[in-house]
Amino acid sequence: MNTIATPLKHSGLGIASTVIAVFAGLAMVAVFVYAGYIGMSEGGQLSETDPRAMMIGFGMIAALAVLALGAILGIAGLFVGERKRVFAWVGLVLNALPILGGIALFILGLAMS
């Protein structure tokens, strides 16, 4: 019998993870730019009860939650059988780096206070 080997398809979960990483990363950059703009216009100090500060915090938490979802999809994409895992690895790395960076910034902020 002649069997023709078909090329493996990319993991759909991996592609979704990579796309989520790109858009959530851009959203996080936008939140940082907005925070920098507000900080510069207010002289570097922003009240904790200011609605803009609350929206910046919410934006960061939302972006980290979406990145966590993307990381979960990347991990799931690694275990899908008979698929290419390139996008799953790329998505996992691109989702995990900002999460780890956010945790590192949180720890740094706690250490400085």
Side-chain angles (χ1 to χ4, degrees), residues 3-9 82 84:
T3 58
I4 299 173
T6 58
L8 295 177
K9 293 182 179 182
E82 302 301 321
K84 291 183 182 177

Side-chain angles (χ1 to χ4, degrees), residues 53-69:
M54 292 179 198
M55 288 306 295
I56 290 169
F58 174 74
M60 291 300 298
I61 291 171
L64 286 173
V66 171
L67 287 168
L69 173 69

Side-chain angles (χ1 to χ4, degrees), residues 41-112:
S41 67
E42 296 291 324
Q45 295 293 333
L46 194 60
S47 170
E48 293 177 358
T49 59
D50 190 345
R52 295 175 296 179
M54 292 179 198
M55 288 306 295
I56 290 169
F58 174 74
M60 291 300 298
I61 291 171
L64 286 173
V66 171
L67 287 168
L69 173 69
I72 291 169
L73 288 176
I75 292 169
L78 291 175
F79 295 106
V80 173
E82 302 301 321
R83 298 282 182 158
K84 291 183 182 177
R85 292 173 174 78
V86 174
F87 281 108
W89 278 111
V90 170
L92 180 60
V93 169
L94 290 178
N95 282 301
L97 285 178
I99 293 171
L100 295 175
I103 292 170
L105 283 176
F106 182 74
I107 292 171
L108 181 67
L110 287 177
M112 292 180 68

Side-chain angles (χ1 to χ4, degrees), residues 19-32 63 66-67 94-95 98:
V19 170
I20 286 174
V22 170
F23 285 118
L26 290 174
M28 188 174 284
V29 168
V31 170
F32 272 116
V66 171
L67 287 168
L94 290 178
N95 282 301

